[in-house]
Amino acid sequence: PGSSPCRSVIMGAKAVGVELNKKLLNLQAGEHLTPEFLKINPQHTIPTLVDNGFALWESRAILVYLAEKYGKTDSLYPKCPKKRALINQRLYFDMGTLYQSFANYYYPQLFAKAPADPEAFKKIEAAFDFLNTFLEGQTYVAGDSLTVADIAILATVSTFEVAKFDISKYANVNKWYENAKKVTPGWDENWAGCLE
């Protein structure tokens, strides 16, 4: 529940009407390193989805898979190559820039009791500046309706909120965030995981 990638998959599944059979792994106890789990996912990362014997990991790939396989329409991941390219760009931005900036700044403090790194904090601010620019005049992060990109970025931004990062300094992000919380299926479960 504390993992924003896991929470994004929970919201994505809700958005397409898939009921997940969730299994909680105790990472501190090494449950992701058992032979049984490594057989499913040799990279031993979470989330991992198993759908009728098909195993997939990396939350953004799982979001796309769920939307393509189970979406009643293509609204979450449209078939139009240009719309899809923009969604993919935002998914990669989330993975490589926005979420990565969270990991680089907060994880050393959480897991290694390291002091806060001001240079890493500047990268968070730069990532939010980019997201704020992407959202100029936009209700959604990649087009004119909710997509898997919104779901992934919502999970990340909510994690920043619970870590007490001041989102309100970024007017476009703040406006998008308030709307995304209202229109994204599974928001309540996402927020409960954040608070946990």
Side-chain angles (χ1 to χ4, degrees):
S3 161
S4 64
C6 291
R7 293 191 320 272
S8 72
V9 169
I10 290 167
M11 289 188 287
K14 285 210 187 299
V16 297
V18 167
E19 184 70 33
L20 296 173
N21 177 16
K22 294 177 276 198
K23 306 226 184 269
L24 186 63
L25 292 179
N26 183 336
L27 302 182
Q28 281 71 31
E31 289 181 2
H32 62 304
L33 301 173
T34 64
E36 297 80 24
F37 191 76
L38 290 173
K39 191 172 176 186
I40 296 167
N41 175 353
Q43 199 174 348
H44 57 80
T45 55
I46 59 165
T48 296
L49 175 78
V50 179
D51 183 22
N52 294 315
F54 173 68
L56 183 65
W57 52 96
E58 172 38 52
S59 62
R60 293 143 197 98
I62 294 169
L63 284 171
V64 168
Y65 172 78
L66 289 171
E68 287 188 313
K69 182 163 184 192
Y70 295 104
K72 312 285 183 278
T73 69
D74 74 343
S75 65
L76 289 174
Y77 196 62
K79 296 196 182 348
C80 168
K82 288 182 180 177
K83 289 180 179 182
R84 191 170 274 196
L86 184 60
I87 292 166
N88 290 339
Q89 186 278 322
R90 299 300 195 255
L91 290 171
Y92 297 140
F93 166 78
D94 180 46
M95 185 170 96
T97 303
L98 187 63
Y99 182 79
Q100 191 61 51
S101 74
F102 181 91
N104 291 345
Y105 181 71
Y106 290 103
Y107 286 178
Q109 295 174 63
L110 289 169
F111 301 121
K113 306 294 183 232
D117 178 353
E119 290 305 309
F121 190 79
K122 286 179 187 172
K123 292 191 175 170
I124 291 173
E125 293 175 315
F128 270 84
D129 282 335
F130 287 132
L131 183 57
N132 204 58
T133 299
F134 300 159
L135 286 162
E136 185 65 42
Q138 302 293 315
T139 303
Y140 298 98
V141 297
D144 55 7
S145 64
L146 184 77
T147 68
V148 293
D150 292 283
I151 294 170
I153 291 175
L154 177 60
T156 299
V157 170
S158 61
T159 307
F160 275 103
E161 182 187 10
V162 85
K164 307 279 190 255
F165 180 77
D166 186 7
I167 297 162
S168 69
K169 295 192 308 184
Y170 305 89
N172 297 331
V173 175
N174 198 51
K175 183 179 172 188
W176 163 83
Y177 184 51
E178 291 307 314
N179 180 64
K181 291 191 283 188
K182 293 176 192 153
V183 302
T184 306
W187 163 256
D188 292 342
E189 190 171 352
N190 174 72
W191 188 243
C194 282
L195 296 177
E196 188 176 311

